[in-house]
Each structure stands twice: as C-alpha cells, then as structure tokens.
Amino acid sequence: MLRWSTIFLLLWLLLGATPLLAAENPDYLQELINVARQKGLSQNRYWLLLIHYHTTFFGGFTSDASDNSFFLAPDGKTNPESELETTLAKFFSDELVGTSKQPAQCAFIARYHWLKEALGFDPKRLPEQTCERFKAWYAALNAKSISLIFPSAYMNNPSSMFGHTLFRINQKDQTEQTEILDYTINYAATVTTDNGVLFAVWGITGGFKGNFSTVPYYLQVRRYSDMESRDIWEYRLNLSEEEITRMLMHAWELGNTTFTYYFFTQNCSYQLLPLLEVARPTLHLADAFRYWTIPADTVRSIASVSGLVEEMTYRPSRGTQIRQKRALLSPEERRVLSEIDRGTTMTPELFDGLPVDRQALLLDIAYDYTRYRTAKEEVDLDEIKRKQRLLLQQRSALRVQSPPVTFTPVTAPPETGHDTARVGLGLGWREGDPFEELAIRPAYQDLLDDDIGYTSGAQIELMNARIRYYNQQERVTLHSLAFADIISLVPLDPLFKKPSWKISASLETLPSNRCHDCRYFDLNMGTGSALEGHLLRRELIYFLIELDGNYGGFFDPDYRAGVGGTVGLLADLAARWKLHLFSTYLTYPLGEHSHDLKMSLQQRVTLLQDLSLRLELNRRQELNRRDFQNEGLVTLQVYF
C-alpha cells in the first residue's frame, strides 16, 4: 500500500510545482518586487549588463540578444523592469525555460545569484533549486584562470582579416604542455552559405546569427595555428575566483540565446567585452566600440587596464615554426630537405657528411611539414601517412635530440601597434597649384603604415577618404574615396606557395582636360607574386596582373575595362622608415579605348606610436594625352 506522503509526491510531480510554489508565495514575490523597485535594480548597471541592454537613440533600452527565449517577459527585450520582475516570478517556478529547457534559477543562474544577493532571498520562502547540469559543466571546466586569446589576421578569409579573439579557461593543475586540453569560450557567426558574395553581404548587414560555444582549445589551435598558419598571442587575465565564477555563470546563460552578427561592429571581439564586464563590473570596455570593433583594438583596450593582464605568451603557428627552423639550415641542408619532401624513399647516402643532430633537425622539419599539409588537406591522406611512417622510422633510429630552437615573434603583440583609425593633414602642390588635404580612414592598415603589431605585407583600408582644397582654384573636392582596398603580398617560399592578390572598389579622379575633377568608379582586382630580400632590412619586390573596370560620365562611352599590372618595391630602410615605390600600367580595349600609367614614390617615418610623417611624389598620365600630371604631398598622420 502506498503511503500518503508518496501519493502526495506523485501528485506534486503530476501537477507540477509551478502553481504550488507560486500559490504559496505570492506575498513574498510581491515583497521582492517592491524592494527591487525601491532599490532601482532594473536600472542597475549589472542588471543591464546581464541582459545586454544598451540605450536607444530615443532614451529607451534594447537588448543585443536576438533570441526571444533569452527573455522571460514578453517585452523583456526592451523593458528592463518587466524582465526583472518576471524573472523573479519565474524563480518560484520549476517551469522549463530558455533554449536549454531548465528551471529559471538554473537557465539564468547569473541573474539568480545577483538578485539573491541584492534582495537577500529567504531560502525558506524561495527555496534554491539544484542545478545539476550547470554543476557538471562548471566542474568539467575546472577553472583556475582566464586567458584572452588573439589569433593574428588571416587574409584569405574575410571574417578573419582583422584577427579574432576568444577566451581560454585555464584549468587547475594544467602545465604548459597540457594547457591545450583546456576549454574556450568562443563567439562566432553561424554561416549558412558557401557563396562568397552572399557571405560578405550578409556578414556586413547582419544576415548571420552569432552564438557562444565552449570548444576545446586544441581544436582552436588546429584551426588557427596548423591550418591557417596564424600566430597566437595569449594574455592571462588577473581575475579573482569570484570574478571567474561570475563570467562562467553568465557564459552558461548565453547558451540560451543568439545575437545578430555584424563583421564590423557586433563581432567576435565585441561580444567578449560584456562577458568581461560581467566578471568585473567596474570595467567599461564595450562603450568604446559601438560603431566598429577591430580585434586588435579590443586587445589594446584590455591590455591598457592597469593590472588586468598578468602574463603574455606567444604561440607560433606551425608554419612559423617550420619557416624559422628552415632558416637555420645551410644551403646543402635545404637541398636535402627538398629531396626528403619530394622523395618516397630515403637512403643513408642522402645524409652523408651531416652530423646526427642536423639529420634529426631535418627529419623533424620534414615531419612538421607533413603535419602542416595534413591540416591543410592538400594531399592524399594515405600518401602522407606512408611518408610520416618513413620519417618516424628514420627519426627513431637516430636517438638524439635535434638542436633546440627559440621561436621569435614575426611581429610585436597587437597592443604595441598604432591605433587602427587615422586622420591626416597634408600640404601639397599639383602642377604649381598648392593644396591642403584632409584624409580620414576609419580602418585599418596600409602597406606603408608601421608593421609593428600588424601582418607585414597586408593592407586593409576601409572608407579611406581624401578631401582637398586647391588654393588657386579656391574649391574643395573629394579627391578619392576607397570603399575597400585590400592587398596581400606573400613572399614566395619553396614550402609555402601562396599567391599575392589585391581587390579594391573606390571613387577616383583622373587628370583630363575634359573636366576639373573627372571622377569615376573603379573596380580593380589582381593576382601575382612577391620576392623577399634582406639587403638593407627587409625588401619585398612584387608584381600583380590586374583586371580593371571604370565607370564615369566623361568616358565615351561611359565606361572602360582592361588589363595591366603593377610592379612595386616595399622596403624597410630603417626601424621607423619605410619606402614604397610602384608603377601601374593599364590598357583598356573595352569601352573608351585608352590607357593609364601612374608612378608613385612614398615614404613614411614613424615619429611616435600613433604619429607619423609621410611624403608622396605622384606622377600620372592624363586621359588619352602624352602629358603627365605631377604632384607632391607631405602629410602628418595621427592614429586614434
């Protein structure tokens, strides 16, 4: 026979606890709401942080979260008070809420603990529920500290051109060798198309959803370091145990929602900042990134907070490791390495005359290279496995360590570079007519900018506008507006064969006797190659074969399209002095038959981290004439 207590429990489970709890505590719920109103908790910054509210143009609130299940009140997205009071009511219930389908106390555990502390919940009148799923997740993370991770820029993926940031949860008792097993907190877009054009358009206009995930660090390293050859900077943050707990509780809550993903604003780096502010509410990091967010800028912002970063570590990519090991080889050893890479067998004669430790170094490099190619999926796996077995057999027979190699960062950490926005004030002349120039560029880096903290040979310029006032003509004109101007110059390498390339879209002016400022739309793209030298410090000689299309009312007909190319030299003359010399020739067989020849000598001297002086001497042929238009310009540039 069943006891009455058992029958009661079964009825409780069948009917659900929600009405019982709510019915038993209506007065206490109202008490809590009254106290919350008296304390103004719905306007408290911490509550606004937890729900990701920001103020609107008209003074109201709206949350960046886009999934309705993140809000417990029907108008919770725009009403902080309604969301808080509904959240309190849900804490009395075991109704499953959110996409994770848990009781509110567990699904929104950061809200629960903050309100519990702020209102002093009476556990007899509002019993605390056991959140087993959260406890298991939290225990698995085993967090000791948090590191900010910055994989450097990757030019072959539009969403990674500016770099990426994520958090790594450093487990207790991990060592330098085992920290790769830690978990990460990563925010990324859920990409729903393979079409490159749609990818760019939707990424810019908010066509993708973004969500947080907890991914093992070794998978991130495999992607960024092994497959994409991106060096990684790791910043261990000085957060207390309480702050780490708050961050992880909120990260748990964010599994209940998505956000609209924008490449240039609310991207991977932006969405990490509120997590850090929830951990330490005295930080105000996200406020500075409402209009655009560049990962290097967020790293710079975090690193600028006194005492927040306690340790920085450089993790070279597999490609960097192979290059720097290969740089230690003699010409003869490089020849042997090439034969090892090409061959399917290895005879002892191949290593004749080489010390055993140098043989070990060669075999280590060759094995690393097979792993790099495996990650890149460039070869047949069966073939690469046979090669790896052969290399390991040879290597194990040597029984010596290869010489130790200390890896040097290819460039300085991102926070040591100049800021990404730039304004320039210049004085110049064009064919005897003096002018002043105002140049404004929201982002990010051009070939002549200082490379410290940036990828050398990479240019990404967005919305770069140059406005001039010509003194003799007494007129202001838009000289050029580059919507996007991207160049990737990759030196040729026997092991890493990547092309150089460029693409740009802009408004330009063309010297012509047909009009004062013959303005036209220009679309240009090209591919080519680059060679690296070290006669002075570092020189890069490059050539690019280009396709070019122009549209403007002064052309007859209104357009022209053609081919041509650019040859250039980019040289570091000194630590703070850089030169860029290039010439471009284009011929247009379509539309108005014409050609275009321009030459430029540019130099930049860095005065301070965010201050530089630039000199340009430009020469360009006028439309369908033999005459050239010459101009010189000196510009003082400030980065901010």
Side-chain angles (χ1 to χ4, degrees):
M1 178 180 291
L2 290 173
R3 296 183 177 181
W4 279 108
S5 59
T6 305
I7 294 172
F8 178 80
L9 176 60
L10 289 172
L11 287 173
W12 186 85
L13 291 172
L14 287 171
L15 294 173
T18 303
L20 292 174
L21 285 171
E24 289 176 356
N25 300 284
D27 295 339
Y28 187 48
L29 172 59
Q30 191 57 52
E31 283 180 36
L32 293 176
I33 290 174
N34 291 340
V35 176
R37 288 175 179 173
Q38 291 168 8
K39 291 187 173 184
L41 293 186
S42 65
Q43 303 300 308
N44 185 288
R45 181 168 183 268
Y46 201 76
W47 178 252
L48 300 178
L49 284 174
L50 287 175
I51 316 298
H52 292 246
Y53 286 121
H54 63 83
T55 54
T56 65
F57 180 77
F58 299 103
F61 291 95
T62 188
S63 172
D64 289 334
S66 55
D67 194 325
N68 287 334
S69 61
F70 187 66
F71 309 103
L72 298 178
D75 59 346
K77 184 174 176 66
T78 57
N79 190 334
E81 185 174 30
S82 175
E83 180 65 16
L84 187 146
E85 294 177 4
T86 306
T87 299
L88 283 173
K90 294 288 185 182
F91 286 162
F92 286 84
S93 164
D94 63 356
E95 175 190 357
L96 304 183
V97 299
T99 55
S100 61
K101 299 302 178 190
Q102 301 170 84
Q105 288 190 21
C106 301
F108 299 102
I109 197 163
R111 301 186 200 182
Y112 173 77
H113 281 274
W114 181 70
L115 287 170
K116 176 186 173 185
E117 183 179 348
L119 296 173
F121 289 166
D122 180 349
K124 295 180 180 176
R125 304 173 73 186
L126 175 54
E128 184 165 332
Q129 297 169 342
T130 303
C131 302
E132 295 296 345
R133 286 167 58 184
F134 172 77
K135 284 184 177 179
W137 178 80
Y138 191 82
L141 296 178
N142 193 25
K144 178 184 180 183
S145 61
I146 303 291
S147 288
L148 174 71
I149 307 297
F150 176 80
S152 56
Y154 181 57
M155 293 296 289
N156 290 334
N157 185 337
S159 64
S160 300
M161 281 185 171
F162 300 99
H164 181 62
T165 54
L166 62 148
F167 285 132
R168 188 182 69 207
I169 306 162
N170 305 311
Q171 294 187 2
K172 297 170 184 171
D173 305 322
Q174 290 285 31
T175 66
E176 186 178 344
Q177 287 71 37
T178 60
E179 65 186 9
I180 201 167
L181 301 175
D182 291 338
Y183 283 92
T184 63
I185 298 174
N186 188 52
Y187 177 80
T190 303
V191 178
T192 54
T193 178
D194 295 327
N195 186 299
V197 175
L198 288 179
F199 177 78
V201 172
W202 289 355
I204 293 171
T205 59
F208 296 128
K209 295 293 184 185
N211 62 280
F212 284 88
S213 60
T214 307
V215 180
Y217 189 45
Y218 69 85
L219 291 179
Q220 306 282 21
V221 170
R222 173 179 163 78
R223 174 185 175 184
Y224 297 122
S225 175
D226 296 353
M227 297 177 65
E228 299 178 351
S229 288
R230 300 163 66 176
D231 293 345
I232 296 174
W233 294 93
E234 303 171 348
Y235 302 81
R236 188 180 294 269
L237 303 179
N238 184 19
L239 297 177
S240 67
E241 185 176 348
E242 182 183 0
E243 290 170 335
I244 293 170
T245 301
R246 281 201 294 263
M247 174 188 280
L248 295 182
M249 285 196 297
H250 188 51
W252 172 259
E253 290 182 335
L254 293 176
N256 289 289
T257 190
T258 59
F259 296 83
T260 303
Y261 192 99
Y262 296 94
F263 281 163
F264 298 126
T265 53
Q266 296 181 23
N267 52 28
C268 61
S269 287
Y270 175 83
Q271 295 295 1
L272 291 189
L273 299 179
L275 260 179
L276 203 49
E277 292 178 345
V278 165
R280 184 178 293 179
T282 55
L283 295 174
H284 291 261
L285 300 169
D287 296 344
F289 298 98
R290 295 306 302 184
Y291 302 106
W292 68 82
T293 309
I294 294 175
D297 285 339
T298 64
V299 174
R300 190 175 293 110
S301 177
I302 291 171
S304 69
V305 178
S306 178
L308 184 55
V309 175
E310 63 180 17
E311 183 185 45
M312 181 178 63
T313 306
Y314 169 68
R315 182 183 294 273
S317 69
R318 188 173 300 281
T320 296
Q321 292 180 41
I322 295 171
R323 285 190 187 90
Q324 296 196 6
K325 284 182 180 177
R326 185 173 172 274
L328 301 174
L329 303 179
S330 67
E332 174 59 17
E333 289 170 335
R334 293 188 184 190
R335 183 192 64 76
V336 174
L337 180 64
S338 297
E339 290 195 27
I340 294 174
D341 179 48
R342 287 196 300 268
T344 55
T345 61
M346 273 174 277
T347 60
E349 291 76 21
L350 188 62
F351 300 99
D352 268 356
L354 287 178
V356 177
D357 64 334
R358 302 301 290 183
Q359 295 181 33
L361 178 61
L362 281 171
L363 291 170
D364 286 345
I365 297 173
Y367 183 71
D368 283 347
Y369 187 56
T370 62
R371 294 181 64 189
Y372 167 81
R373 297 182 70 189
T374 303
K376 297 284 289 181
E377 300 177 350
E378 291 180 342
V379 292
D380 176 69
L381 280 180
D382 292 335
E383 177 192 336
I384 208 73
K385 285 178 179 176
R386 282 195 296 273
K387 187 66 162 291
Q388 288 177 335
R389 280 196 296 271
L390 185 61
L391 289 168
L392 290 174
Q393 287 170 1
Q394 294 281 336
R395 182 66 181 85
S396 61
L398 296 179
R399 299 181 180 280
V400 296
Q401 295 280 341
S402 59
V405 179
T406 301
F407 299 107
T408 306
V410 176
T411 186
E415 74 274 11
T416 61
H418 60 75
D419 282 342
T420 52
R422 188 182 74 190
V423 61
L425 291 173
L427 298 174
W429 55 264
R430 187 178 73 178
E431 295 298 319
D433 188 356
F435 65 85
E436 291 80 43
E437 180 178 282
L438 170 65
I440 302 172
R441 186 193 68 186
Y444 155 79
Q445 167 87 349
D446 68 21
L447 292 177
L448 203 57
D449 281 330
D450 202 320
D451 288 336
I452 292 176
Y454 291 84
T455 302
S456 181
Q459 168 175 303
I460 305 174
E461 286 197 302
L462 300 175
M463 302 304 294
N464 182 25
R466 302 174 72 171
I467 302 165
R468 289 181 176 180
Y469 175 75
Y470 288 98
N471 293 271
Q472 291 183 358
Q473 302 172 39
E474 295 184 341
R475 62 187 180 86
V476 177
T477 184
L478 175 65
H479 179 67
S480 65
L481 172 61
F483 303 108
D485 189 358
I486 302 169
I487 302 174
S488 175
L489 300 179
V490 184
L492 277 180
D493 186 289
L495 297 181
F496 305 96
K497 301 176 179 65
K498 296 180 180 177
S500 298
W501 57 272
K502 65 176 295 189
I503 185 167
S504 66
S506 60
L507 284 177
E508 301 287 347
T509 53
L510 184 65
S512 169
N513 57 3
R514 298 179 185 176
C515 41
H516 264 311
D517 295 300
C518 297
R519 192 168 294 115
Y520 64 100
F521 175 75
D522 177 63
L523 180 63
N524 179 283
M525 61 185 69
T527 184
S529 194
L531 295 171
E532 187 178 39
H534 296 277
L535 293 176
L536 296 173
R537 292 174 62 88
R538 180 176 185 266
E539 305 84 39
L540 208 58
I541 299 173
Y542 66 91
F543 73 92
L544 297 164
I545 306 298
E546 299 173 29
L547 297 174
D548 194 64
N550 302 158
Y551 180 83
F554 62 93
F555 291 123
D556 184 20
D558 294 339
Y559 72 96
R560 62 179 184 173
V563 298
T566 295
V567 178
L569 166 67
L570 197 62
D572 291 312
L573 303 178
R576 293 170 172 263
W577 183 16
K578 195 172 190 177
L579 174 146
H580 188 196
L581 174 65
F582 67 91
S583 177
T584 300
Y585 177 77
L586 296 160
T587 183
Y588 298 92
L590 302 177
E592 178 167 341
H593 293 190
S594 56
H595 61 267
D596 192 3
L597 174 61
K598 52 189 173 185
M599 294 164 275
S600 182
L601 170 63
Q602 304 175 1
Q603 297 184 63
R604 181 268 307 155
V605 175
T606 298
L607 305 176
L608 298 169
Q609 179 177 335
D610 289 319
L611 184 68
S612 69
L613 186 67
R614 186 174 294 211
L615 168 67
E616 290 183 33
L617 297 174
N618 301 317
R619 182 175 172 82
R620 187 171 187 182
Q621 197 167 25
E622 295 186 15
L623 177 63
N624 283 338
R625 298 183 63 183
R626 292 183 179 274
D627 299 331
F628 280 85
Q629 190 175 82
N630 302 302
E631 69 172 33
L633 176 65
V634 178
T635 309
L636 186 67
Q637 297 178 326
V638 179
Y639 301 84
F640 61 99

